[in-house]
Every structure is written in C-alpha cells, then in structure tokens.
C-alpha cells in the first residue's frame, strides 16, 4: 500500500510515520508536510534513509503540488493530519487556521476526489481518505465527563471552529460525491 500522510513531520504525524515504516514493511509511506513551526524532520531521522519512506515538502494549500504528489505516488489511502493547531495561536492569528485547516483541507479533498475518480476496480473500492480531527470540535468538556460521536459540535476557539469546518467539508464530500472517508476525533 502507498499511504500518503499529510502533516507527517508534526508531533503526532511523525509518530504515525515511524510506526508505519517500522511495523508495516509492505507499505510505502509518503510524508507530505509544509514544515511550519510544528514540523520537525529530526523526529524522522530513524526512517529517513528507508527506501519505503518518501518526504515531500509541500503545502496543502498548493493544489498544483498536491496534484503532482498524487500523480507521482499514486496513494491507496490518505491520512490527513496536517493542520494549524493550538488554541492560543489561533486566538493570536486566526487567518492561518482558516487558510490551512479549511482551504487546505478543501484543496486536499478536491485533488484526492479527482484522483479517486480516475481509479478503477479494486483500487477505487479500497481507497480511503482518513481525516484526523480533534475533540476540540465538541467544545469545552466541563461536567460532561466525555464526548461521544453523538455530541453536538460546539467549537469555542478559532482553532476548533476551523477543525469543525474541515470535518463538515469531509462529510460533505462523502455525502455529495460518495467519496470514501473516515473521520477520527
């Protein structure tokens, strides 16, 4: 399997990349990251020389580069972790969160859907777009104790609102185009 992971140089993404490279030798991992403040290639040093690992320095807001990566690497699945994060940063500068988390996710969905539309047979049937969200979309935990998938969205910061927006886009691509998605919070 060719697995495209966006945000693979971030804290969580780098762990996911290392896990897949080290535990699943039959997979080829394409790490797609813009290397903003949160990206750190040093956390991927142990897998950097592995022939089953490829790094692409690309911004998800660049649809042309996204299309090139899809054409070149022909992914069987996408795990979308790329995002601007941290509530405090979103309060100080919400524009970057809108651009990356909403517009970037839109661009990724459009390119991935176009790619998926070009697939045939089993390759099309098995393709998945896994969108990794956050529990922040549900709002403040307070006395509730825990969230479930039935909890209403009540984002309370620019960060959580941008992630909720990206979740809604991903669901809309599934409902409107039958695009095969999985969302985790």
């Amino acid at each position: 399997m060719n697995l495209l992971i966006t945000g693979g140089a971030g804290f969580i993404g780098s762990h996911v990349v290392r896990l897949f490279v080290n535990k699943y030798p039959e997979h080829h991992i394409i790490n797609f990251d813009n290397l903003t403040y949160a990206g750190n290639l040093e956390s991927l040093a142990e897998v950097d020389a592995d022939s089953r690992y490829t790094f692409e320095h690309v911004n998800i807001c660049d649809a042309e580069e996204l299309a090139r990566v899809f054409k070149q690497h022909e992914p069987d699945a996408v795990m979308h972790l790329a995002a601007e994060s941290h509530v405090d940063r979103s309060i100080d500068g919400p524009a970057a969160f809108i651009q990356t988390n909403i517009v970037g996710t839109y661009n990724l969905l459009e390119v991935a859907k176009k790619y998926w539309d070009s697939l045939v047979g089993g390759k099309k049937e098995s393709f998945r777009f896994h969108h990794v969200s956050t529990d922040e979309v549900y709002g403040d935990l307070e006395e509730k104790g825990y969230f479930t998938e039935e909890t209403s969205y009540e984002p309370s910061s620019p960060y959580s609102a941008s992630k909720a927006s990206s979740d809604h886009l991903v669901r809309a691509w599934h409902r409107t185009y039958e695009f095969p998605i999985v969302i985790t919070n």
Side-chain angles (χ1 to χ4, degrees), residues 5 12 19 51 53 56 62 83 92-93 117 130 134 160 180:
I5 299 176
I12 295 170
L19 174 75
S51 63
Y53 170 75
E56 290 279 356
D62 186 341
D92 292 338
D117 284 339
H130 180 182
T134 176
S160 58

Side-chain angles (χ1 to χ4, degrees), residues 30-180:
I30 303 99
N31 175 8
F32 183 105
D33 200 293
N34 192 31
L35 297 178
T36 62
Y37 75 97
N40 182 359
L41 289 178
E42 290 177 23
S43 61
L44 295 160
E46 74 178 73
V47 299
D48 187 50
D50 195 300
S51 63
R52 296 168 297 114
Y53 170 75
T54 302
F55 175 70
E56 290 279 356
H57 185 187
V58 178
N59 185 331
I60 63 171
C61 294
D62 186 341
E64 192 173 297
E65 277 295 286
L66 284 170
R68 178 194 61 77
V69 169
F70 272 79
K71 183 176 181 179
Q72 180 178 339
H73 296 286
E74 300 180 345
D76 299 298
V78 174
M79 183 179 283
H80 179 34
L81 291 143
E84 293 290 335
S85 62
H86 303 298
V87 171
D88 293 347
R89 286 187 64 253
S90 77
I91 293 167
D92 292 338
F97 289 74
I98 302 304
Q99 190 64 31
T100 299
N101 299 352
I102 300 173
V103 175
T105 297
Y106 161 76
N107 286 336
L108 186 59
L109 283 165
E110 280 291 279
V111 170
K113 182 196 168 297
K114 185 176 180 181
Y115 169 76
W116 175 71
D117 284 339
S118 74
L119 299 175
V120 295
K123 198 157 171 81
K124 184 170 188 160
E125 290 172 21
S126 64
F127 182 88
R128 291 294 176 275
F129 184 97
H130 180 182
H131 176 68
V132 179
S133 184
T134 176
D135 65 339
E136 299 266 350
V137 299
Y138 300 121
D140 302 327
L141 193 55
E142 296 175 13
E143 77 280 346
K144 297 175 192 172
Y146 59 91
F147 299 119
T148 70
E149 285 145 350
E150 286 79 39
T151 301
S152 297
Y153 275 39
E154 295 180 22
S156 55
S157 70
Y159 164 64
S160 58
S162 69
K163 289 299 287 182
S165 297
S166 67
D167 292 1
H168 291 312
L169 286 173
V170 172
R171 280 191 185 92
W173 260 242
H174 175 66
R175 291 275 313 255
T176 304
Y177 307 111
E178 298 179 1
F179 186 61

